[in-house]
């Protein structure tokens, strides 16, 4: 009797455990109900295990074989479950969790079969019982599969990032709109209200389980994204003084969560800058509380969710904390689902785009829509992403943001996979903040990242210098039409200048293979190639109006004389870079032609030039070298690609900048509200002069002084030239085309091509075909240059040679399709475009090209489908909106045509804005020179007897204080 009573209760417990197990496995969530069921499952499992042990002999003695096997499997599963209660179920122990589940499922299956057999429902025959057991097995498998699908597949499908096909007509339609708490940031909260600031300030609670990750984050730039970063602090203080507090929320959505989402950001930052919330930065719970990314349009375009149960983790009560940690270690899945959504892994780049891509519009800049910095689009369209068909190079394997900026590092933290976690130092190029924080480890980490063969420098060619000329900026169809302060790369098919194709010059190259020589008294042009190798976006990236990034070339002879120096830094390497250097940056100006150099991108009204290097591409810089009569017999050329995180002006302004004549910036902005506005300062322009003598005792960071920022040599190269007497014969051009040098010739040609020097680029690409006729890239790139020049017949001829070598090469098929379209062969063009799209379905330029061909064939409905595919990748694609406007006009749908017309007009460039650059360029000839598509750089003025110690081959690497040995001399 006692045995039967015990069996009934054991059976009820088994049923309860089975039902709760299905719920716990299939529907994990960080809720009180789940929390309670989890604990009940544990407690009930312990009870069952001890009962089974207590009743084991008596149970097994009178049971059938199936029942004995079932109770034994349950007992084993229970014992294993008790072990798991002790050790937890982190990822590395997941196999033991599944062993526990498997043993219990088998046990329940055998017990269920035994119970059914005991009722006689299936008869006494072996066949009937066998079929019954099979049916129970299928039922169990079906329940398991359905539960797994709900847990894994449905969860992942519900947490992906997708774009709307129609972006907002104005910024007022973004985020919560003008009435929203966080506008003009696009960020929103799920419940529509504020989130307590303390929620974003509890990162230290995470280190109980993630000590390594916490330590990495503690020095990272995410931690120093807010007002604990003096550069950011000054930019927001300045913005609020000039443009108001409301517009600065545009920045706060991604930089200042503890202030913005709690409502504190409504107060001017100068009044609360010393509060802990102002110095919290981007803590763990900022990124990991994003539950939906609404699009890849950036601007903080996400939803945040405030999980109430976080208060258990951050509780000051030790019992509550221990109970929370126990449940998380026992079953980490609800915790993981709360803070690690599937899109963070599956759509990593799209997730990052929510903050690493921005645009400005009227509520921010009082002007119009302008693209700001944008790491996502050029990555997505490049070969690096595996989505760009037209790239000059295809990588061995696609890479996303985390591959470079969150590499896997060894760790024993909970959540590690095979002993590895993704680094939360977020390696990048910021050497400035660690300098101000006197954080040597983080500085060395950033320096190592910069110097990890991200780019290469190659002093490649030399030729006789011609007349001092510069090719003008191309106009017309060659100019990017989208309104942007950033570069436009392979996400656009019109990014390459069109116009005069240049001329073929006689060169000597490669310099190191040709024993190149120059003659005293002559001028020579030196071509230096800079190539992006491990960079997945434009170089440099980020806020490219604020950095000093430049290519330096120095020439010395064996006597130690410095005979050429472009890119010299004043004040022995501590001052500004000489203005005639070859810069990589975006030079923007405000409405009065003042340079935008205070991180005041909201004041941008025009762009003088944008000079960045696309991913997987190159830049070819030209230097005009004069060989003096007193030069030695050998000249050493040394080129360096230099990186200083913030420009000299921006650093001095950020730490000590005040209006000239005042001692504090507050002095000129503390006027009564009724006072007339300062005519020298509006949101459109700032005509004030600045001095750098402000109070530095309260600046953010450990260093209470203007930091001397380190200059990092990212890449460098050295070549030598023989020097001939003035009366010697003119050195003849010499070219060596070696098969192993094909990428050097390709890079040289790419740099020329991107400048619009098409004939010289084609000549460089021809050297590839001469060295290796079976390399299709040489023929493809010649065809690309000819196509850009307008020679479709010549382009088709060489592209056919490439296709004969590799008929499936996507980039060749694309350019061949372009040639066919230009010649009116629309069917042929579409055939080749489909070949491309079969390999690269997310190349939006190819989609647009196919849509355009369909439009030309008046297949408007089919064209609409292609352009909508483009908008699913980038809702702000200018060409797609323009062509959809035309398509809907053709279909007679005026309403939709006008919708796309409104977006086209919103995103397209303001053609009149370039007029603002005229006076600036007249007074800044060096910047006007850099603006030209093809230009040369000359040396700074050098003292006649300037010498350099012969044994110093290069300046040593900088240290934390920014000291760097440099040759002497003055301009």
């Amino acid at each position: 009797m006692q045995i039967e009573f015990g069996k009934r209760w054991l059976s009820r417990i088994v049923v309860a455990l089975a039902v709760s197990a299905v719920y716990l496995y299939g529907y994990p969530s960080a809720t009180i109900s789940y929390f309670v069921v989890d604990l009940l499952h544990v407690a009930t499992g312990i009870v069952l295990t001890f009962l089974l042990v207590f009743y084991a002999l008596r149970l097994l003695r009178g049971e059938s074989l199936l029942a004995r096997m079932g109770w034994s499997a349950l007992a084993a599963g229970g014992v294993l479950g008790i072990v798991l209660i002790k050790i937890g179920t982190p990822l590395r122990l997941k196999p033991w969790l599944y062993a526990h589940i498997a043993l219990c499922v088998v046990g329940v299956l055998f017990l269920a079969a035994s119970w059914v057999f005991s009722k006689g429902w299936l008869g006494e025959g072996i066949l009937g019982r066998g079929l019954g057991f099979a049916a129970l097995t299928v039922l169990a498998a079906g329940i398991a599969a359905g539960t797994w699908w709900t847990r894994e597949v449905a969860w992942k499908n519900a947490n992906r990032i997708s774009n709307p096909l129609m972006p907002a007509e104005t910024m007022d339609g973004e985020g919560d709109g003008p009435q929203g708490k966080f506008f003009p940031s696009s960020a929103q909260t799920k419940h529509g209200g504020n989130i307590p600031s303390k929620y974003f300030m509890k990162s230290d609670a995470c280190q109980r389980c993630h000590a390594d990750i916490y330590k990495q984050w503690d020095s990272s730039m995410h931690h120093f994204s807010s007002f604990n970063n003096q550069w950011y602090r000054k930019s927001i203080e300045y913005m609020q003084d000039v443009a108001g507090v409301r517009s600065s929320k545009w920045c706060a959505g991604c930089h200042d969560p503890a202030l913005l989402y709690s409502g504190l950001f409504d107060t001017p930052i100068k009044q609360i800058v010393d509060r802990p919330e102002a110095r919290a930065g981007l803590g763990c719970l900022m990124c990991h509380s994003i539950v939906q990314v609404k699009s890849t349009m950036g601007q903080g375009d996400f939803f945040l969710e405030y999980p109430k149960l976080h208060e258990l983790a951050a509780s000051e009560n030790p019992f509550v904390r221990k109970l929370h940690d126990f449940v998380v270690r026992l079953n980490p899945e609800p915790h993981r689902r709360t803070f690690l959504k599937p899109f963070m892994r599956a759509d990593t780049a799209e997730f990052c785009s929510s903050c690493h891509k921005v645009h400005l519009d009227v509520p921010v800049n009082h002007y119009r829509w302008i693209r700001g910095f944008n790491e996502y689009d050029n990555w997505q369209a490049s070969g690096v992403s595996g989505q760009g068909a037209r790239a000059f190079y295809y990588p061995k394997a696609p890479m996303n943001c985390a591959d470079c900026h969150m590499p896997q590092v060894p760790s024993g933290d909970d959540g590690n996979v095979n002993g590895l976690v993704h680094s939360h130092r977020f390696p990048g190029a910021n050497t400035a903040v660690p300098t101000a924080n006197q954080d040597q480890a983080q500085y060395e980490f950033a320096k190592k990242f910069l110097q990890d063969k991200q780019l290469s420098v190659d002093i490649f060619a030399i030729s006789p210098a011609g007349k001092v000329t510069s090719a003008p900026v191309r106009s017309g169809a060659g100019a990017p039409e989208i309104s942007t302060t950033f570069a436009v790369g392979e996400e656009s098919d019109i990014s390459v200048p069109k116009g005069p194709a240049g001329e073929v010059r006689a060169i000597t190259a490669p310099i190191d293979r040709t024993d190149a020589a120059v003659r005293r008294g002559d001028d020579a042009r030196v071509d230096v190639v800079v190539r992006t190798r491990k960079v997945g976006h434009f170089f440099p990236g980020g806020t490219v109006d604020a950095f000093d990034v430049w290519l330096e070339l120095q020439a010395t002879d064996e006597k130690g004389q410095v005979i050429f120096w472009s890119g010299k830094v004043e004040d022995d390497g501590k001052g500004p870079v000489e203005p005639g250097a070859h810069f990589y940056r975006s030079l923007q100006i405000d409405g009065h032609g003042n340079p935008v150099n205070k991180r005041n991108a909201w004041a941008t009204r025009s762009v003088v030039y944008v000079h960045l290097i696309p991913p997987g591409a190159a830049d070819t810089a030209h230097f005009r070298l004069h060989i003096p009569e007193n030069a030695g017999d050998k000249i050493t050329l040394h080129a360096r690609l230099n990186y200083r995180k913030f420009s000299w002006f921006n650093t001095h302004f950020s730490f000590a900048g005040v209006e000239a004549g005042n001692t504090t910036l507050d002095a000129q902005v503390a006027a009564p509200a009724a006072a007339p506005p300062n005519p020298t300062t509006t949101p459109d322009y700032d005509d004030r002069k600045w001095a750098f003598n402000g109070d530095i005792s309260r600046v953010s960071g450990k260093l209470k002084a203007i930091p001397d920022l380190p200059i990092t040599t990212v890449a460098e190269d050295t070549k030598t030239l023989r020097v001939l007497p003035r009366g010697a014969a003119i050195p003849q051009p010499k070219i060596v085309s070696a098969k192993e040098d094909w990428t050097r010739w390709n890079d040289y040609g790419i740099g020329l091509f991107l400048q619009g020097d098409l004939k010289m680029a084609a000549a460089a690409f021809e050297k590839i075909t001469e060295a290796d006729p079976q390399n299709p890239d040489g023929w493809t790139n010649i065809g690309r240059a000819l196509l850009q020049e307008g020679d479709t017949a010549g382009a088709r001829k060489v592209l056919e040679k490439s296709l004969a070598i590799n008929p499936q090469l996507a980039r060749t098929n694309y350019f061949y399709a372009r040639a066919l379209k230009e010649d009116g062969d629309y069917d042929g063009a579409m055939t080749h475009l489909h070949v491309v799209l079969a390999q690269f379905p997310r190349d939006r330029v190819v989609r647009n090209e196919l849509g355009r061909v369909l439009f030309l064939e008046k297949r408007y409905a089919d064209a609409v489908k292609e352009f909508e595919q483009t908008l699913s990748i980038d809702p702000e694609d200018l060409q797609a909106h323009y062509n959809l406007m035309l398509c809907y006009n053709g279909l007679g749908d005026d309403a939709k045509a006008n919708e796309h017309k409104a977006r086209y007009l919103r995103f397209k460039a303001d053609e009149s804005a370039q007029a603002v650059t005229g006076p600036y360029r007249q007074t800044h000839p060096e910047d006007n020179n850099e603006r030209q598509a093809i230009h040369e750089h000359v040396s700074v003025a050098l003292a006649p007897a300037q010498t350099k110690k012969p044994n110093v081959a290069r300046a040593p690497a900088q240290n934390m204080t920014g000291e760097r040995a440099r040759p002497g001399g003055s301009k």
Side-chain angles (χ1 to χ4, degrees):
M1 192 69 174
Q2 186 180 6
I3 293 295
E4 290 302 317
F5 177 79
K7 284 174 60 178
R8 282 198 300 271
W9 274 104
L10 286 174
S11 299
R12 291 168 184 167
I13 292 173
V14 168
V15 172
L17 285 170
V19 172
S20 64
V22 171
Y23 170 68
L24 291 173
Y25 183 79
Y27 304 92
S29 62
T31 60
I32 292 293
S33 60
Y34 189 91
F35 182 86
V36 170
V37 172
D38 204 355
L39 290 177
L40 286 174
H41 183 84
V42 170
T44 308
I46 293 173
V47 170
L48 175 66
T49 303
F50 280 106
L51 287 175
L52 285 176
V53 172
F54 181 74
Y55 283 108
L57 293 177
R58 280 175 286 179
L59 272 175
L60 297 177
R61 188 181 303 124
E63 293 289 343
S64 66
L65 176 61
L66 272 179
R68 289 199 296 271
M69 291 172 62
W71 290 119
S72 299
L74 278 177
V79 171
L80 182 54
I82 292 174
V83 173
L84 292 175
I85 292 171
K86 174 65 176 175
I87 65 175
T89 58
L91 282 174
R92 67 180 184 277
L93 299 178
K94 270 291 179 66
W96 292 109
L97 172 64
Y98 283 106
H100 163 73
I101 293 172
L103 285 169
C104 293
V105 168
V106 169
V108 171
L109 176 63
F110 285 169
L111 287 174
S114 175
W115 181 74
V116 170
F117 295 165
S118 70
K119 296 295 183 180
W121 294 346
L122 301 176
E124 298 297 326
I126 295 177
L127 179 60
R129 291 192 171 195
L131 291 174
F133 186 80
L136 286 172
T137 303
V138 170
L139 177 62
I143 293 172
T147 307
W148 175 86
W149 188 91
T150 302
R151 175 188 173 98
E152 300 293 339
V153 180
W155 165 248
K156 291 177 181 177
N157 289 344
N159 287 274
R160 298 302 299 267
I161 298 172
S162 59
N163 280 312
L165 293 182
M166 187 65 70
E169 186 174 347
T170 69
M171 188 176 248
D172 288 351
E174 298 171 0
D176 287 324
Q179 306 308 313
K181 295 174 178 290
F182 317 125
F183 186 80
S185 170
S186 295
Q188 297 171 271
T189 58
K190 273 292 186 182
H191 65 290
N194 289 336
I195 297 176
S197 59
K198 64 180 181 179
Y199 173 69
F200 297 104
M201 301 169 64
K202 294 294 185 179
S203 296
D204 58 336
C206 302
Q207 69 174 318
R208 298 202 300 269
C209 296
H210 305 288
D212 289 342
I213 287 175
Y214 175 83
K215 185 177 180 181
Q216 294 159 6
W217 165 85
D218 195 41
S219 292
S220 75
M221 294 310 99
H222 276 198
H223 185 190
F224 293 95
S225 69
S226 192
F227 298 99
N228 49 4
N229 175 337
Q230 181 59 28
W231 286 271
Y232 177 75
R233 171 181 171 179
K234 186 58 172 277
S235 70
I236 300 301
E237 291 175 346
Y238 173 78
M239 182 179 188
Q240 292 188 352
D241 288 338
V242 176
V245 172
R246 173 77 177 218
S247 60
S248 66
K249 290 184 177 182
W250 174 74
C251 309
C254 285
H255 281 266
D256 313 297
L259 293 174
L260 180 67
Y261 301 113
S262 65
L264 285 170
F265 209 85
D266 292 325
T267 304
I269 192 58
K270 287 183 178 179
Q271 298 178 25
I272 58 173
V273 73
D274 292 323
R275 291 184 59 141
E277 294 91 341
R279 297 167 185 268
L282 284 178
C284 307
L285 296 176
M286 172 58 192
C287 296
H288 287 284
S289 292
I290 294 175
V291 295
Q292 180 186 347
V293 176
K294 297 173 284 181
S295 76
T296 60
M297 291 184 281
Q299 209 85 347
D301 200 14
F302 48 67
F303 274 106
L304 288 172
E305 187 171 62
Y306 176 51
K308 287 282 188 180
L309 291 185
H310 93 280
E311 294 173 7
L312 299 178
S315 173
E316 299 297 328
N317 186 313
F319 173 77
V320 173
R321 284 202 309 269
K322 286 184 179 298
L323 180 62
H324 168 272
D325 292 354
F326 167 75
V327 174
V328 170
R329 290 181 184 276
L330 180 68
N331 183 2
E333 189 63 21
H335 178 80
R336 185 174 73 89
R337 291 190 172 217
T338 301
F339 297 116
L340 189 64
K341 296 294 187 286
F343 56 72
M344 296 177 184
R345 291 181 179 274
D347 303 321
T348 303
E350 288 71 23
F351 175 56
C352 296
S353 77
S354 61
C355 280
H356 290 270
K357 175 182 176 181
V358 302
H359 59 266
L360 302 87
D361 211 332
V362 176
V364 180
N365 63 7
H366 306 274
Y367 176 42
R368 55 155 299 152
W369 190 95
I370 298 179
R371 165 69 64 222
F373 82 91
N374 179 5
E375 311 294 24
Y376 175 75
D377 285 347
N378 52 90
W379 166 84
Q380 188 276 323
S382 74
V384 178
S385 69
Q387 301 175 41
R390 295 153 297 109
F392 290 105
Y393 295 101
Y394 297 146
K396 292 180 180 179
M399 299 180 71
N400 64 36
C401 310
D403 292 318
C404 293
H405 298 290
M406 294 186 72
Q408 291 188 317
V409 294
S411 173
D413 280 2
D414 288 343
N416 77 78
V417 179
N418 298 323
L420 299 171
V421 298
H422 285 281
S423 173
H424 283 62
R425 278 188 183 270
F426 306 105
N430 196 322
T431 54
V433 171
T435 300
N437 290 341
Q438 297 181 326
D439 185 343
Q440 185 71 31
Q442 181 69 18
Y443 165 74
E444 293 293 341
F445 190 76
K447 177 184 170 185
K448 180 180 178 181
F449 178 81
L450 275 169
Q451 295 181 330
D452 188 24
K453 299 179 181 178
Q454 307 286 354
L455 296 96
S456 62
V457 172
D458 186 4
I459 305 173
F460 185 73
I462 192 167
S463 58
K467 295 184 294 182
V468 180
T469 59
S470 294
V473 174
R474 307 297 196 267
S475 59
E481 288 189 70
I482 195 166
S483 177
T484 182
T485 62
F486 209 69
V488 177
E490 288 168 318
E491 68 269 28
S492 171
D493 61 344
I494 55 170
S495 59
V496 176
K498 288 184 178 179
E503 59 183 7
V504 177
R505 299 179 307 280
I507 63 171
T508 295
I511 287 177
D512 53 320
R513 294 190 182 276
T514 53
D515 193 26
V518 291
R519 196 171 60 166
R520 293 186 180 93
D522 288 351
D523 286 353
R525 186 166 103 163
V526 178
D527 294 338
V528 182
V529 180
V530 182
R531 157 87 184 276
T532 50
R533 294 190 175 275
K534 295 169 62 177
V535 182
H537 46 72
F538 277 111
F539 176 84
T543 52
V544 291
D545 57 301
F547 309 153
D548 278 337
V549 185
W550 73 103
L551 182 63
E552 176 185 2
L553 181 67
Q554 191 179 70
T556 58
D557 64 13
E558 77 276 14
K559 295 183 291 185
Q561 294 185 109
V562 179
I563 63 175
F564 181 93
W565 200 345
S566 172
K568 181 183 179 183
V569 180
E570 298 174 10
D571 191 19
D572 286 333
K574 299 179 181 180
V577 183
E578 60 102 351
H582 187 72
F583 287 101
Y584 296 103
R585 63 178 177 181
S586 172
L587 178 56
Q588 305 159 34
I589 56 176
D590 67 19
H592 279 189
N594 303 296
V596 171
N597 53 13
K598 298 177 283 295
R599 287 301 302 119
N600 52 325
W602 40 269
T604 296
R605 297 298 177 266
S606 193
V607 177
V608 179
Y609 67 81
V610 182
H611 190 196
L612 309 175
I613 310 176
D619 174 56
T620 301
H622 312 294
F623 298 89
R624 191 180 188 90
L625 169 66
H626 175 73
I627 295 84
E629 295 291 349
N630 64 343
D633 296 329
K634 183 177 74 172
I635 290 175
T636 299
L637 301 173
H638 190 180
R640 301 185 189 93
L641 178 61
N642 294 321
Y643 191 102
R644 181 160 60 184
K645 173 58 182 179
F646 292 109
S647 69
W648 181 91
F649 179 94
N650 185 252
T651 295
H652 280 66
F653 172 79
S654 297
F655 280 76
V658 293
E659 185 178 358
N662 291 336
T663 57
T664 66
L665 184 58
D666 296 335
Q668 82 273 8
V669 297
N678 187 338
T680 64
T681 309
T682 76
D684 295 307
Y685 59 84
D686 188 344
D687 293 337
R688 291 174 290 176
K689 304 301 180 184
W690 299 92
F692 305 130
N693 55 7
D695 180 16
I696 56 175
S697 64
R698 296 179 63 247
V699 298
S700 299
K702 292 184 179 179
L703 189 65
K704 305 303 179 184
I706 302 174
D708 176 20
L709 291 186
I711 295 172
T712 302
T713 299
V714 178
E716 58 188 327
D717 188 35
T718 301
K719 296 291 193 306
T720 58
L721 303 171
R722 291 186 298 114
V723 179
L724 305 177
R726 172 185 277 275
I730 299 174
Q732 295 301 304
K734 183 179 180 182
I735 287 176
V736 175
S737 301
K739 187 175 181 179
E740 59 270 24
D741 284 336
W742 84 267
T743 57
R744 296 179 69 189
W745 281 105
N746 203 39
D747 295 341
Y748 181 57
I750 290 168
L752 297 170
F753 175 80
L754 294 178
Q755 295 169 2
D757 193 352
L758 302 178
K759 289 190 180 297
M760 193 63 198
F765 296 139
E766 284 176 6
K767 303 308 171 188
I768 302 172
T769 66
E770 292 173 6
D772 183 8
Q774 293 304 304
N775 185 334
D777 283 318
W779 302 111
T780 297
N781 288 338
I782 295 171
R784 191 170 183 171
L786 293 173
L787 188 63
Q788 192 71 21
E789 192 177 339
D791 182 1
T792 56
R796 288 178 63 172
K797 183 177 179 180
V798 291
L799 290 170
E800 285 165 2
K801 291 183 179 181
S802 179
L803 289 173
I805 300 169
N806 186 350
Q808 295 299 310
L809 189 60
R811 52 177 164 257
T812 312
N813 276 278
Y814 171 76
F815 293 112
Y816 192 63
R818 285 280 299 271
L820 293 175
K821 187 195 79 170
E822 293 296 321
D823 289 344
D825 184 358
Y826 297 153
D827 290 339
M830 285 192 289
T831 297
H832 286 276
L833 290 173
H834 282 299
V835 171
V836 181
L837 289 172
Q839 302 172 62
F840 295 92
R842 285 177 55 83
D843 189 313
R844 52 192 172 97
V845 171
V846 181
R847 288 281 176 198
N848 282 342
E849 194 69 24
L850 179 56
R852 186 67 184 172
V853 174
L854 291 166
F855 170 81
L856 292 173
E857 289 198 328
K858 298 185 179 181
R859 294 168 56 183
Y860 302 131
D862 292 333
V864 164
K865 293 177 182 178
E866 292 301 327
F867 293 126
E868 287 183 342
Q869 284 285 325
T870 297
L871 294 183
S872 72
I873 302 166
D874 178 19
E876 297 166 318
D877 189 280
L878 187 75
Q879 300 302 319
H881 284 296
Y882 174 75
N883 284 290
L884 281 166
M885 174 184 70
L886 299 181
C887 288
Y888 282 117
N889 277 331
L891 291 168
D893 191 336
D894 292 341
K896 287 189 175 180
N898 287 330
E899 281 186 340
H900 289 286
K901 178 182 178 181
R903 275 67 180 178
Y904 171 71
L905 293 176
R906 182 188 182 198
F907 302 140
K908 77 182 294 290
D910 176 5
E911 290 89 348
S912 65
Q914 279 299 302
V916 181
T917 69
Y920 178 89
R921 289 186 284 118
Q922 288 180 339
T923 55
H924 296 78
E926 297 91 352
D927 291 330
N928 187 52
N929 179 60
E930 188 73 6
R931 171 186 167 93
Q932 311 310 312
I934 307 170
H935 60 273
E936 295 178 348
H937 295 272
V938 298
S939 176
V940 299
L942 298 169
Q946 183 169 346
T947 60
K948 177 181 177 181
K949 294 180 181 179
N951 62 335
V952 181
R954 63 177 293 272
Q958 68 284 356
N959 58 27
M960 275 283 297
T961 62
E963 295 173 356
R964 175 177 171 182
R966 282 181 175 269
S970 61
K971 290 176 66 174

